[in-house]
Amino acid sequence: MHTDFSLLATITMAVLFAFLCGFAARKLRLPSLVGYLIAGLLISPFTPGFVGDVSAASQLAEVGVIFMMFGVGLHFSLRDLWNVRQIAIPGAILQTTLSTLIGLALGQLWGWSFEAGLVLGLSISVASTVVLLRGLTDHGLVSTPHGRVAIGWLVFEDLATIVILVLMPVLVGGSSNPLVSVGVALLKTAVFAVIMLVIGTRVLSWLLTQIAYTRSRELFILAVVALALGTSFAAFELFGVSLALGAFLAGVVIGESDVHHQVNAEAVPFRDFFSVLFFVSVGMLVDPAVVMANIGKVVVLSLLVIVGKGVITLLLGFVLPSSARTMIVAAAGLSQIGEFSFIVGQAGVGLGLLDGDQYGLILAAAVVSIVVNPLMFALIPRVERALRGVPWLWRLIDRG
């Protein structure tokens, strides 16, 4: 009997290379995420040596998205977002809109289709939660008012991205009446959200509590994984809602249960493991030859993400009721793109809005922005001193 070990081989080599490259990245004081992306490149069809199964890796990446979104839901706090709403919500809306429009304009300048340019703009508009938290933690800013605003800002961007992922398939579905299609999609999403928040909160909390009483750790772990995967699959099959939204709402609901601390502890290993496989699968899609052939575009796109988004965020201090230092910290933290950009880009590729080469440019710019982001945090004191040196400008930004 012939046995196909392609999936096992892909997972094995992905984990091995991710470990080696992730370890090397940390030694070089870079985010581990950079190492995982490089690991994907090393087992991709575009480099010599072992070639992983791209199809299998893509399916594993879907599981990675589910667990990442489940983790985001577990840590989502409407109370924390509400406390910084006056800055985070309008700031996220304005920054996302402006970044998307600039990305769209850049895509049009490069001769891309309107749809491809729009996906480009959306991809560069949202920053990486992983990279932001790493930067805030390394500089002791997580618990400060500035850090809480940056986190709330990004949480709202994440929520907006989830809505985008829900609407993208509808808008390109070829419907004769897109407004009706969008309305139906939003209605289905609302029905699913109400069911989860009203009924699911009680049922899932009760179920997990009962399982916790059995004192069986493996049964509890199995229940957490089953709920994350099962809710996502049910959302997709029954309501036509994205897997990402299903996982996010499952995390939100379980995060309100009495056993959420235990759920978080047990879910972290799965989230981390499959997140690594997600980033490896993303790296497998990068063609170095295409990147080098379009190095000028990579540089421009990287500058737009690093400098452009940082400047946009900083200039929003003119209209937001925030202190200047808060805006400087937010500008440093948001001047990068990561996992949500990859998810939006992958959705664009899957819907035929982007081709592989265009997606590769987004991935290359993301890697550059992630590598440079620690430098942006290191520049915070210098930027603050420079702005204080121009009193009238400092007063305009320092509105908190």
Side-chain angles (χ1 to χ4, degrees), residues 88-101:
I89 293 179
I93 293 173
L94 290 171
Q95 185 267 314
T96 300
T97 301
L98 292 173
S99 298
T100 299
L101 291 175

Side-chain angles (χ1 to χ4, degrees), residues 310-387:
V311 171
I312 289 172
T313 304
L314 195 58
L315 292 179
L316 289 177
F318 291 140
V319 296
L320 297 177
S322 175
S323 69
R325 181 165 176 79
T326 294
M327 297 309 299
I328 295 171
V329 171
L334 299 175
S335 60
Q336 41 81 16
I337 56 176
E339 61 272 9
F340 269 106
S341 304
F342 302 151
I343 294 172
V344 171
Q346 279 191 339
V349 172
L351 294 170
L353 305 178
L354 281 181
D355 60 36
D357 293 350
Q358 292 169 331
Y359 184 43
L361 297 181
I362 297 174
L363 301 183
V367 172
V368 174
S369 71
I370 291 169
V371 171
V372 173
N373 195 244
L375 175 62
M376 301 300 287
F377 274 96
L379 290 175
I380 289 176
R382 295 185 181 182
V383 173
E384 184 173 354
R385 284 197 299 271
L387 289 176

Side-chain angles (χ1 to χ4, degrees), residues 108-292:
Q108 295 294 290
L109 183 64
W110 288 343
W112 294 14
S113 67
F114 177 85
E115 293 81 4
L118 184 58
V119 174
L120 171 65
L122 292 171
S123 296
I124 67 171
S125 68
V126 59
S128 166
T129 306
V130 175
V131 176
L132 173 68
L133 290 176
R134 171 67 66 180
L136 293 175
T137 301
D138 289 347
H139 291 81
L141 295 169
V142 172
S143 300
T144 65
H146 321 299
R148 286 196 290 270
V149 168
I151 293 170
W153 189 313
L154 194 51
V155 165
F156 192 80
E157 283 190 0
D158 292 349
L159 294 177
T161 307
I162 293 172
V163 175
I164 291 168
L165 292 172
V166 170
L167 295 180
M168 279 179 65
V170 178
L171 295 175
V172 300
S175 172
S176 58
N177 195 330
L179 290 178
V180 173
S181 299
V182 169
V184 171
L186 291 176
L187 178 61
K188 288 182 178 180
T189 302
V191 170
F192 174 69
V194 169
I195 291 174
M196 287 296 296
L197 297 175
V198 176
I199 300 176
T201 301
R202 296 174 173 80
V203 173
L204 298 185
S205 179
W206 174 84
L207 177 61
L208 287 173
T209 302
Q210 296 305 309
I211 295 173
Y213 285 149
T214 66
R215 300 183 182 280
S216 172
R217 183 169 181 266
E218 65 272 16
L219 188 60
F220 190 85
I221 293 174
L222 187 61
V224 171
V225 174
L227 289 174
L229 295 175
T231 304
S232 301
F233 187 70
F236 179 78
E237 286 290 321
L238 301 179
F239 296 90
V241 175
S242 69
L243 296 171
L245 178 59
F248 173 77
L249 286 177
V252 170
V253 168
I254 294 174
E256 297 296 324
S257 69
D258 295 333
V259 292
H260 68 277
H261 290 297
Q262 186 177 354
V263 171
N264 183 58
E266 303 297 359
V268 164
F270 290 94
R271 182 198 65 193
D272 291 347
F273 177 74
F274 282 102
S275 296
V276 168
L277 294 182
F278 168 77
F279 291 120
V280 171
S281 72
V282 168
M284 292 175 67
L285 300 176
V286 179
D287 186 345
V290 172
V291 173
M292 294 307 298

